[in-house]
Amino acid sequence: MTDEWRGWREAAEAALYGDEGFYRSPLRGPEGPAGHFRTSVHASPLFAAAVARLLTGIARELDTRTITLVDVGAGRGELLTGVLAALPDGLEVTPYAVEVADRPPGLDPRIRWCAEPPAGITGLLFANEWLDNVPAEVAEVDAAGVPRYVQVRTSDGAERLGAPVAGADAAWLERWWPLSAPGERAEIGRPRDAAWARAAGCVEAGLAVAVDYTHVRDARPPFGTLTGFRGG
């Protein structure tokens, strides 16, 4: 370990998606994220049934019996498994799981495992609680009223203020999350904007859906939204 300082985006990238990161490390257990927290995907088969109905409706609108379903941030394939079980007869679905972790053993062989969404999707791209896990920079206002990038020390997670926020990041803050009072914080959402644009751009015909936490622009929390949990 060193006293290297880096931005929040880089630190979060390593913590979540590095070789020993939360979403990739085999030390987290074969059950993956579901062993640590639940989303709607894990809580009830009703969620998968709702996605199956949405997919069926898209197929009807597109006048096709052959359709693609892409689950972005698929975990261990729980949602796709549930949707396949809930589909009506006669609808042929090609399911893709987009995930950084390795394919889990015993997964339905119909599910195609990949690191990026396929291009030219005709059907549904579904991202459940994915965008909140796209790492972003954190900014904080200093004593002089200047928004600065927050840096994280590798060795112990301590923070300090770095360079002033500038360029496209500053423009994003001004539009979407303006800061003024010393101590106020924001997450600069440009990487999430770009990630969603790339994912949604893979849909040639059909629908792209993101399900996630949100708040409106005029009610941003003054100290940001990042929250950590230990032991569930």
Side-chain angles (χ1 to χ4, degrees), residues 28-169:
R28 303 295 178 185
E31 70 276 21
H36 300 268
F37 58 79
R38 294 202 311 167
T39 70
S40 298
V41 170
H42 311 115
S44 167
L46 294 176
F47 192 75
V51 175
R53 289 197 300 273
L54 178 61
L55 188 65
T56 302
I58 294 170
R60 187 182 307 115
E61 291 182 10
L62 295 176
D63 192 24
T64 180
R65 301 302 296 173
T66 302
I67 200 165
T68 297
L69 171 60
V70 180
D71 182 12
V72 182
R76 297 301 182 268
E78 296 94 341
L79 177 60
L80 291 175
T81 299
V83 171
L84 290 174
L87 287 173
D89 293 336
L91 182 61
E92 183 179 341
V93 174
T94 302
Y96 288 86
V98 181
E99 179 57 61
V100 297
D102 293 334
R103 182 187 183 96
L107 188 67
D108 191 315
R110 291 175 292 177
I111 297 175
R112 305 182 183 187
W113 201 263
C114 51
E116 297 289 341
I121 296 167
T122 297
L124 173 63
L125 180 139
F126 200 84
N128 186 69
E129 296 192 29
W130 168 60
L131 285 174
D132 63 327
N133 288 312
V134 175
E137 296 289 1
V138 174
E140 181 178 323
V141 180
D142 67 12
V146 177
R148 293 181 177 271
Y149 293 105
V150 178
Q151 296 180 325
V152 181
R153 187 163 58 194
T154 302
S155 59
D156 59 3
E159 293 182 337
R160 72 178 185 185
L161 298 186
V165 179
D169 284 347

